[in-house]
Amino acid sequence: QVQLVESGGGLVQAGGSLRLSCVASGRPFENYAIGWFRQAPGKEREFVGEFVAAVSWTGGSTYYASGAKGRFTLSRDNAKSTVYLLMNSLQPEDTAVYYCAAKFQGVLKLALPQEYDYWGQGTQVTVSS
């Protein structure tokens, strides 16, 4: 089993940036695909992006929702067992609770919540206009 803890959310003005962190513990980090989702009030949980570690333990592959491409960037720090979601050019419609999720030996393009096994508690992102 793996435990996930998100952090880095907050209040930001439109056009600003935030970097969210997802720290994993409990099992070897490199064995999991890490996905990011978000959920706004009254809406379904929505896929944002996914990071799958490379077998070589350096680098990896990423997959983004169409609305995230060009604005959001995923990266990983192996030493800290952390995946980061850097969000630029934020807009009020990006306001949501952001969650990271893990899938053991997950492949790329896992974009549905039910495809993931473990979830963090979420971090609130609020973008003011």
Short mmCIF file of all heavy atoms in Angstrom, two decimals, residues 5 9 27 36 39 47 50 53 55 57 75 87 94 96-97 102-103 105 109:
data_model
loop_
_atom_site.label_atom_id
_atom_site.label_comp_id
_atom_site.label_asym_id
_atom_site.label_seq_id
_atom_site.Cartn_x
_atom_site.Cartn_y
_atom_site.Cartn_z
N VAL A 5 0.26 12.29 0.04
CA VAL A 5 -0.06 13.55 0.72
C VAL A 5 0.20 14.69 -0.25
O VAL A 5 1.33 14.87 -0.72
CB VAL A 5 0.77 13.74 1.99
CG1 VAL A 5 0.43 15.08 2.63
CG2 VAL A 5 0.51 12.60 2.97
N GLY A 9 -1.41 23.89 -2.35
CA GLY A 9 -2.57 24.66 -2.80
C GLY A 9 -2.65 26.00 -2.09
O GLY A 9 -1.90 26.29 -1.15
N ARG A 27 5.65 2.30 -0.24
CA ARG A 27 6.10 1.31 -1.22
C ARG A 27 7.05 2.00 -2.18
O ARG A 27 7.04 3.22 -2.30
CB ARG A 27 4.90 0.74 -2.00
CG ARG A 27 4.14 -0.33 -1.23
CD ARG A 27 4.25 -1.66 -1.90
NE ARG A 27 3.57 -2.72 -1.17
CZ ARG A 27 2.67 -3.49 -1.71
NH1 ARG A 27 2.30 -3.31 -2.97
NH2 ARG A 27 2.12 -4.46 -1.03
N TRP A 36 -2.90 13.13 -11.46
CA TRP A 36 -3.50 14.30 -10.79
C TRP A 36 -4.91 14.49 -11.35
O TRP A 36 -5.12 14.45 -12.58
CB TRP A 36 -2.69 15.56 -11.04
CG TRP A 36 -1.45 15.67 -10.20
CD1 TRP A 36 -0.19 15.27 -10.52
CD2 TRP A 36 -1.35 16.24 -8.90
NE1 TRP A 36 0.67 15.55 -9.50
CE2 TRP A 36 -0.01 16.15 -8.48
CE3 TRP A 36 -2.27 16.84 -8.02
CZ2 TRP A 36 0.44 16.62 -7.25
CZ3 TRP A 36 -1.82 17.30 -6.79
CH2 TRP A 36 -0.49 17.19 -6.42
N GLN A 39 -11.42 18.42 -8.67
CA GLN A 39 -12.87 18.37 -8.53
C GLN A 39 -13.37 19.71 -8.02
O GLN A 39 -13.02 20.12 -6.91
CB GLN A 39 -13.30 17.23 -7.60
CG GLN A 39 -14.80 16.98 -7.60
CD GLN A 39 -15.16 15.65 -6.97
OE1 GLN A 39 -14.39 15.06 -6.22
NE2 GLN A 39 -16.35 15.17 -7.26
N PHE A 47 -9.67 14.53 -14.81
CA PHE A 47 -8.26 14.21 -15.01
C PHE A 47 -7.48 15.46 -15.40
O PHE A 47 -7.96 16.27 -16.22
CB PHE A 47 -8.14 13.16 -16.11
CG PHE A 47 -6.73 12.84 -16.52
CD1 PHE A 47 -5.91 12.09 -15.69
CD2 PHE A 47 -6.22 13.28 -17.74
CE1 PHE A 47 -4.62 11.78 -16.07
CE2 PHE A 47 -4.93 12.97 -18.12
CZ PHE A 47 -4.12 12.23 -17.28
N GLU A 50 -0.78 12.84 -15.78
CA GLU A 50 -0.23 11.59 -15.24
C GLU A 50 1.26 11.54 -15.48
O GLU A 50 1.74 11.98 -16.54
CB GLU A 50 -0.91 10.40 -15.91
CG GLU A 50 -0.43 9.04 -15.39
CD GLU A 50 -0.84 7.91 -16.31
OE1 GLU A 50 -1.36 8.17 -17.40
OE2 GLU A 50 -0.61 6.74 -15.93
N ALA A 53 6.97 6.74 -14.19
CA ALA A 53 8.42 6.75 -14.08
C ALA A 53 9.05 5.85 -15.13
O ALA A 53 8.49 4.82 -15.51
CB ALA A 53 8.85 6.27 -12.69
N VAL A 55 11.80 3.16 -16.44
CA VAL A 55 12.40 1.98 -15.84
C VAL A 55 13.80 2.29 -15.33
O VAL A 55 14.25 1.76 -14.33
CB VAL A 55 12.43 0.82 -16.86
CG1 VAL A 55 13.17 -0.37 -16.31
CG2 VAL A 55 11.01 0.43 -17.24
N TRP A 57 14.73 4.80 -13.87
CA TRP A 57 14.67 5.60 -12.64
C TRP A 57 15.05 7.06 -12.87
O TRP A 57 14.98 7.87 -11.98
CB TRP A 57 15.57 4.99 -11.56
CG TRP A 57 15.52 5.61 -10.20
CD1 TRP A 57 16.57 6.16 -9.52
CD2 TRP A 57 14.40 5.74 -9.34
NE1 TRP A 57 16.16 6.61 -8.29
CE2 TRP A 57 14.83 6.38 -8.16
CE3 TRP A 57 13.05 5.41 -9.45
CZ2 TRP A 57 13.97 6.66 -7.10
CZ3 TRP A 57 12.20 5.69 -8.39
CH2 TRP A 57 12.65 6.31 -7.24
N SER A 75 6.57 16.81 -12.96
CA SER A 75 7.97 16.42 -12.80
C SER A 75 8.08 15.57 -11.53
O SER A 75 7.14 15.49 -10.74
CB SER A 75 8.88 17.64 -12.71
OG SER A 75 8.54 18.43 -11.59
N MET A 87 1.61 24.61 -12.14
CA MET A 87 0.47 25.17 -12.88
C MET A 87 0.71 26.64 -13.15
O MET A 87 0.85 27.43 -12.21
CB MET A 87 -0.82 24.98 -12.07
CG MET A 87 -1.09 23.53 -11.68
SD MET A 87 -2.67 23.28 -10.87
CE MET A 87 -2.42 24.19 -9.35
N ASP A 94 -9.90 27.07 -13.02
CA ASP A 94 -9.01 26.05 -12.47
C ASP A 94 -9.26 25.84 -10.98
O ASP A 94 -8.65 24.95 -10.37
CB ASP A 94 -7.55 26.45 -12.69
CG ASP A 94 -7.16 26.47 -14.15
OD1 ASP A 94 -7.50 25.53 -14.87
OD2 ASP A 94 -6.50 27.46 -14.57
N ALA A 96 -10.48 24.38 -7.78
CA ALA A 96 -10.94 23.03 -7.47
C ALA A 96 -10.09 22.48 -6.34
O ALA A 96 -9.07 23.07 -5.96
CB ALA A 96 -10.82 22.12 -8.70
N VAL A 97 -10.51 21.34 -5.83
CA VAL A 97 -9.64 20.55 -4.97
C VAL A 97 -8.84 19.62 -5.88
O VAL A 97 -9.41 18.93 -6.72
CB VAL A 97 -10.44 19.72 -3.94
CG1 VAL A 97 -9.50 18.85 -3.11
CG2 VAL A 97 -11.26 20.64 -3.05
N ALA A 102 -2.48 7.08 -7.18
CA ALA A 102 -1.43 6.15 -7.58
C ALA A 102 -2.02 4.84 -8.07
O ALA A 102 -3.01 4.36 -7.54
CB ALA A 102 -0.48 5.88 -6.41
N LYS A 103 -1.38 4.33 -9.11
CA LYS A 103 -1.76 3.02 -9.66
C LYS A 103 -0.51 2.17 -9.71
O LYS A 103 0.47 2.52 -10.38
CB LYS A 103 -2.35 3.19 -11.06
CG LYS A 103 -2.55 1.89 -11.82
CD LYS A 103 -3.61 1.03 -11.17
CE LYS A 103 -3.84 -0.23 -11.98
NZ LYS A 103 -4.82 -1.14 -11.33
N GLN A 105 2.12 -0.22 -10.87
CA GLN A 105 2.53 -0.64 -12.21
C GLN A 105 1.59 -0.09 -13.29
O GLN A 105 1.26 -0.79 -14.25
CB GLN A 105 2.64 -2.16 -12.28
CG GLN A 105 3.74 -2.71 -11.38
CD GLN A 105 3.91 -4.23 -11.50
OE1 GLN A 105 2.99 -4.95 -11.86
NE2 GLN A 105 5.11 -4.69 -11.18
N LYS A 109 -1.58 7.04 -19.83
CA LYS A 109 -2.92 7.35 -20.30
C LYS A 109 -4.00 6.73 -19.44
O LYS A 109 -5.06 6.32 -19.95
CB LYS A 109 -3.10 6.98 -21.78
CG LYS A 109 -2.18 7.77 -22.70
CD LYS A 109 -2.50 7.56 -24.16
CE LYS A 109 -1.58 8.39 -25.05
NZ LYS A 109 -1.86 8.21 -26.48
#
